[in-house]
Amino acid sequence: MDTLTLDEPILAKLIPARPLPDKTPPAETVDLKSPELYINRDVSLLEFNKRVLAQAMNENVPLLERLNYLCISCSNLDEFYEVRVASIIQMAAIDPKVVGSDGLTPSEQLERIAVNAHLLVLEQYRVLNDILIPQLEEQNIRFIRRKDWTEAQLQWLQQYFNEEVLPILTPVGLDSAHPFPRILNKSLNFIISLTGKDAFGRNSGRAVLQAPRALPRIVQLPSDRTGSGPHDFVFLSSIIHAFVDQLFNGMHVKGCYQFRVTRNSDFFVDDDAIDDLLLAVEGELAMRNYGDEVRLEIDANCPDETVNFLLARFEMTRDHLFLVKGPVNLSRLQAIIGLVDRPELKFIPFKPSTPPQLARNKDIFAAIRRSDILLHQPFESFSPVVEFLKQAAESPEVLAIKQTLYRTGADSPIVNALIKAARAGKEVTVVIELRARFDEKANIDLAAKLQEAAVHVVYGVVGYKTHAKMCLILRREGKELRNYVHLGTGNYHPKTAQLYTDYGLFSCDKELGEDVRRVFAQLTSLGKVTRLNKLLQSPFTLHKGLLEKIEREIEHARNGKPAKIIIKVNALVEEQAIQALYRASQAGVEVKLIVRGVCCLRPGIPGISENIEVRSIIGRFLEHGRIYAFANDGNQEVYAASADLMNRNMFRRVEVCFPVENKKLAGRILHDLDLYLKDTTQSWLLQPDGSYLPYPKTGQEEPIQAQSMLLTELQA
């Protein structure tokens, strides 16, 4: 297929990056709030998507997994437009002169996003058309185009269309009685050009057809009936295009072109004006599919007249228009991975291990009493977390269970254990975050399911998302009541625990258990903030506590003591934290940052950040764990957290950051961090200008791949 060229109006808006300081300024004269020192968060997010897409070109990754990376980059871009671009468009209308830490107004941000997003989409379709499709064909995995259908394939597809597709299609001819229909968010649609008159003598010249979501977007051809190969596929869009004339009897179809609209999918709940958060969220969900338009994708073969017609209908400019050479929704290609049984084209399966303390002892509470236990998913199994709750549900000594749920998945064994515990007469309290983006409906259904089983369900604190990952089990042991806790960096979701890297800690430390109890009390009742012994908690002590620890490293460096900070997060955006890290670099603190996605800090600027290194790890598993480690003059401190270094995590969410005090367990985390910092195969290094480069290969060093080494070290 031909590749696309960048639209000229977009090309004209290519904007050079803000200039960086060209010489080393005296540290005391540097304004650390200067916009030149900050990377725009949305441009940085698009850079992350470029790194994901690069995996689709990585010959060391199995072919079907490379296709999966392409699909992930596309679904990521969908969410980027649904949430981030939508919010910037709204800000441009509300306060067009407001600027962020990078000094860009909303309109300037949108211009930069348009350029970078169009370049990214061009690359996505180039990778699909020029690289992946030819390589898939070499493996006898084929997408059969209309012009290449055999007579047998054509006959079968005609029958498939008549029996499975035609009965549920509803074309809308556009005229005064049939206005342009409301187009669902991210749905597959066709704009159809017609000539001739229908049975009533009408001829508007255009019709719109929406493909029902119940229809699969990719159809596998049966080899026994069509003579096709074992893995021959046809796009639903091709089938509809081939037989669309059957929908307009007696008329002539001049053209049929795919299009898709992405809409604002974030919703607003006025925290000051609601009496029932559940009802408010349910009300907003009903409108999600019909939010304001933020992006329009159209088949690149569509005539300009029709393109302009659609742009006018959706009241959009060309900045938000993407003319694509292929399916308008590449993320639907993910279905191929499940349809093709070719293990050699996928990652090698692995069996996660179980920590020896738990493997030797079936009583998980006895094992925790002996010592704290650390889990590192997905290298180690998530099943001990499920077992923790299962044993709690069955144990007569357990009096109460308290749990936060942000995302947990359908038919979760965690939820089943909580229901079993409640039915056994235990006090079970679950804090569910109804506003976990794109999981709102699932969490509403989950709340109803738990309430039916007599679980006490609360929705956290109005105005603050509950993002903390914690579970508390109160157990009577003789004359003593003991708290057992599990604290984690990731969600209580067994499926994502196989794909995301996260840490979890089991402990029955008295002070830690009391801290968790107090946080639950904050979430379920009313009262002022209580002092915590060991936990740092947002929105109260986490931000201040982390800044204090950075300042402590600065003081050590100024006093000639070794000073080092290692932070591993998904995003680094919060301005005060960035300024503190700049000051640390200026003081001589060694700062190592492992930031998977967005990073607004610029490393390597002389006199400002030359002691800061930022790397991103993109591999088989999604890096998700948040770790904050401080050298502390030889008294190493290691914290794990549910929070990234973002304004929302520090000030608008309930998060917990917990210390890993057991020296052996803390040493394990430091060892893991060291592996990531030595990774030479999946590391990308952030440059001062905001771009990322793969870790430079010298050809002489032994390749290091942190995730693979952890799999080997912790393999069952």
Side-chain angles (χ1 to χ4, degrees):
M1 296 185 185
D2 297 333
T3 54
L4 298 177
T5 56
L6 197 63
D7 197 11
E8 286 188 9
I10 304 300
L11 188 61
K13 293 182 178 180
L14 281 169
I15 307 168
R18 289 183 177 275
L20 299 175
D22 57 2
K23 59 182 179 179
T24 303
E28 62 274 10
T29 67
V30 175
D31 179 6
L32 296 181
K33 296 181 180 179
S34 176
E36 289 77 13
L37 300 182
Y38 295 85
I39 300 167
N40 177 264
R41 66 172 288 183
D42 297 297
V43 172
S44 181
L45 187 51
L46 288 171
E47 282 286 330
F48 167 66
N49 237 345
K50 286 169 61 177
R51 299 194 295 280
V52 173
L53 180 60
Q55 289 293 91
M57 296 178 275
N58 187 344
E59 296 285 349
N60 294 318
V61 175
L63 184 56
L64 287 175
E65 303 293 350
R66 290 167 58 193
L67 178 63
N68 190 41
Y69 281 115
L70 170 66
C71 297
I72 292 170
S73 77
C74 296
S75 59
N76 284 351
L77 190 62
D78 283 349
E79 184 174 339
F80 175 75
Y81 267 85
E82 289 177 287
V83 178
R84 289 300 309 161
V85 174
S87 67
I88 298 170
I89 291 172
Q90 289 178 328
M91 185 55 65
I94 296 169
D95 191 354
K97 294 183 179 180
V98 68
V99 296
S101 58
D102 55 15
L104 297 178
T105 64
S107 61
E108 290 172 333
Q109 291 182 63
L110 290 172
E111 287 182 343
R112 296 199 176 198
I113 287 168
V115 172
N116 285 276
H118 279 81
L119 290 171
L120 176 63
V121 171
L122 284 173
E123 185 68 356
Q124 287 173 338
Y125 282 87
R126 184 191 74 82
V127 170
L128 173 68
N129 295 325
D130 298 349
I131 300 176
L132 292 181
I133 285 180
Q135 292 188 13
L136 287 165
E137 286 181 351
E138 291 174 4
Q139 298 295 329
N140 294 317
I141 301 168
R142 303 188 302 164
F143 301 100
I144 312 298
R145 303 181 192 181
R146 292 195 308 278
K147 66 182 182 64
D148 297 325
W149 291 350
T150 65
E151 186 62 31
Q153 290 170 341
L154 178 62
Q155 290 180 7
W156 185 86
L157 288 166
Q158 174 73 77
Q159 182 180 353
Y160 179 85
F161 177 80
N162 291 339
E163 296 177 357
E164 302 292 336
V165 181
L166 181 61
I168 54 176
L169 293 181
T170 308
V172 177
L174 303 180
D175 61 19
S176 58
H178 302 87
F180 200 92
R182 299 178 76 185
I183 301 298
L184 281 169
N185 181 39
K186 297 186 297 184
S187 61
L188 173 62
N189 308 274
F190 299 85
I191 182 77
I192 302 160
S193 301
L194 302 164
T195 57
K197 294 183 178 181
D198 69 2
F200 297 94
R202 299 172 301 180
N203 179 17
S204 69
R206 287 196 178 95
V208 171
L209 176 64
Q210 300 189 55
R213 293 193 166 186
L215 292 173
R217 282 353 188 210
I218 296 174
V219 177
Q220 186 166 9
L221 293 168
S223 55
D224 58 334
R225 295 182 58 187
T226 64
S228 303
H231 301 117
D232 283 357
F233 301 92
V234 175
F235 290 112
L236 175 67
S237 55
S238 294
I239 300 172
I240 290 177
H241 200 154
F243 305 113
V244 69
D245 58 329
Q246 297 181 32
L247 300 170
F248 304 96
N249 188 33
M251 304 184 75
H252 174 64
V253 175
K254 290 198 305 180
C256 176
Y257 309 99
Q258 301 176 60
F259 73 93
R260 187 173 79 130
V261 177
T262 307
R263 297 183 177 277
N264 181 346
S265 294
D266 214 8
F267 59 70
F268 173 72
V269 175
D270 187 347
D271 296 321
D272 296 324
I274 59 173
D275 296 317
D276 190 320
L277 182 60
L278 178 64
L279 291 176
V281 172
E282 284 182 318
E284 286 293 320
L285 276 177
M287 297 305 297
R288 168 167 280 170
N289 284 326
Y290 299 105
D292 292 339
E293 301 88 349
V294 293
R295 178 178 59 162
L296 177 61
E297 298 163 275
I298 308 177
D299 183 344
N301 294 317
C302 188
D304 285 344
E305 178 191 5
T306 305
V307 169
N308 292 330
F309 170 79
L310 289 172
L311 282 171
R313 283 292 175 180
F314 294 116
E315 299 181 345
M316 299 179 74
T317 64
R318 295 188 78 89
D319 283 10
H320 301 280
L321 167 67
F322 293 80
L323 298 174
V324 301
K325 203 80 167 180
V328 292
N329 185 354
L330 294 186
S331 61
R332 290 294 192 132
L333 288 167
Q334 228 162 8
I336 294 293
I337 298 161
L339 292 170
V340 176
D341 185 17
R342 295 282 299 277
E344 75 277 15
L345 301 182
K346 302 177 184 180
F347 286 128
I348 298 172
F350 71 97
K351 183 180 179 182
S353 62
T354 301
Q357 309 98 298
L358 298 177
R360 291 192 300 263
N361 199 323
K362 292 184 178 181
D363 183 346
I364 196 166
F365 298 105
I368 296 171
R369 284 197 299 274
R370 288 191 179 91
S371 69
D372 289 357
I373 299 170
L374 183 73
L375 296 178
H376 191 185
Q377 282 98 30
F379 316 105
E380 292 179 300
S381 175
F382 184 74
S383 59
V385 180
V386 177
E387 188 64 23
F388 184 54
L389 283 157
K390 282 184 175 179
Q391 290 192 24
E394 296 168 357
S395 170
E397 292 82 12
V398 169
L399 306 179
I401 302 173
K402 300 179 191 294
Q403 173 97 42
T404 59
L405 293 177
Y406 191 76
R407 304 185 199 276
T408 188
D411 299 321
S412 168
I414 296 279
V415 173
N416 294 338
L418 292 169
I419 289 173
K420 185 175 182 179
R423 288 174 175 166
K426 304 180 192 306
E427 289 293 313
V428 180
T429 303
V430 177
V431 181
I432 295 180
E433 181 46 67
L434 293 180
R435 289 171 291 182
R437 186 179 291 126
F438 301 119
D439 271 355
E440 298 95 344
K441 178 63 169 61
N443 283 358
I444 289 171
D445 294 343
L446 171 61
K449 183 177 181 180
L450 289 169
Q451 285 171 328
E452 288 174 3
V455 173
H456 302 297
V457 176
V458 295
Y459 307 128
V461 182
V462 172
Y464 298 87
K465 280 188 179 180
T466 301
H467 193 247
K469 326 297 182 184
M470 55 186 187
C471 177
L472 171 70
I473 294 175
L474 178 64
R475 199 165 184 264
R476 182 179 295 282
E477 296 175 352
K479 296 182 179 180
E480 181 183 4
L481 289 177
R482 193 191 300 268
N483 287 322
Y484 292 83
V485 300
H486 175 268
L487 295 161
T489 66
N491 297 308
Y492 289 102
H493 196 308
K495 292 282 180 64
T496 58
Q498 299 172 32
L499 304 171
Y500 296 4
T501 70
D502 274 303
Y503 287 100
L505 180 72
F506 289 112
S507 179
C508 61
D509 177 87
K510 187 173 182 178
E511 290 184 325
L512 200 58
E514 178 60 20
D515 281 355
V516 174
R517 187 197 67 77
R518 290 176 182 176
V519 175
F520 272 112
Q522 285 179 6
L523 293 171
T524 60
S525 63
L526 301 174
K528 292 188 176 182
V529 179
T530 55
R531 185 179 180 85
L532 301 178
N533 300 297
K534 295 182 177 181
L535 289 182
L536 298 175
Q537 181 202 1
S538 68
F540 307 117
T541 59
L542 177 53
H543 182 253
K544 179 182 177 182
L546 291 176
L547 292 186
E548 287 175 348
K549 292 178 187 302
I550 294 172
E551 292 298 334
R552 185 181 61 193
E553 295 300 313
I554 292 173
E555 193 63 27
H556 287 323
R558 287 174 176 163
N559 292 331
K561 299 176 180 178
K564 185 174 183 178
I565 298 169
I566 305 175
I567 295 175
K568 181 177 184 292
V569 288
N570 302 325
L572 171 54
V573 175
E574 202 278 314
E575 296 89 342
Q576 292 183 59
I578 291 174
Q579 291 162 21
L581 292 170
Y582 281 152
R583 290 195 302 275
S585 174
Q586 290 174 323
V589 179
E590 182 183 2
V591 180
K592 300 289 187 181
L593 304 177
I594 306 166
V595 185
R596 183 194 77 208
V598 175
C599 182
C600 296
L601 175 149
R602 294 187 187 272
I605 301 175
I608 300 171
S609 59
E610 71 266 43
N611 291 317
I612 301 178
E613 177 190 85
V614 181
R615 67 175 59 211
S616 173
I617 304 291
I618 307 294
R620 174 176 181 174
F621 307 116
L622 182 77
E623 291 298 333
H624 193 254
R626 294 89 164 187
I627 299 294
Y628 300 90
F630 305 92
N632 192 25
D633 191 25
N635 299 308
Q636 184 83 51
E637 287 186 345
V638 176
Y639 282 78
S642 58
D644 292 306
L645 277 172
M646 302 181 73
N647 300 68
R648 70 185 187 190
N649 299 95
M650 295 295 117
F651 308 116
R652 300 193 301 275
R653 290 186 174 187
V654 178
E655 309 268 15
V656 292
C657 180
F658 54 95
V660 180
E661 296 181 310
N662 181 295
K663 292 189 180 300
K664 184 177 179 181
L665 301 185
R668 266 189 60 192
I669 293 177
L670 292 171
H671 163 75
D672 298 345
L673 294 175
D674 188 55
L675 280 180
Y676 285 117
L677 293 171
K678 291 178 178 177
D679 190 297
T680 61
T681 62
Q682 296 180 329
S683 281
W684 294 74
L685 300 181
L686 176 58
Q687 306 302 301
D689 66 357
S691 65
Y692 285 77
L693 295 176
Y695 186 90
K697 295 177 176 59
T698 64
Q700 298 179 354
E701 58 191 5
E702 189 73 23
I704 296 175
Q705 191 174 106
Q707 291 186 355
S708 295
M709 294 181 73
L710 287 168
L711 263 181
T712 301
E713 290 179 2
L714 298 173
Q715 190 70 61

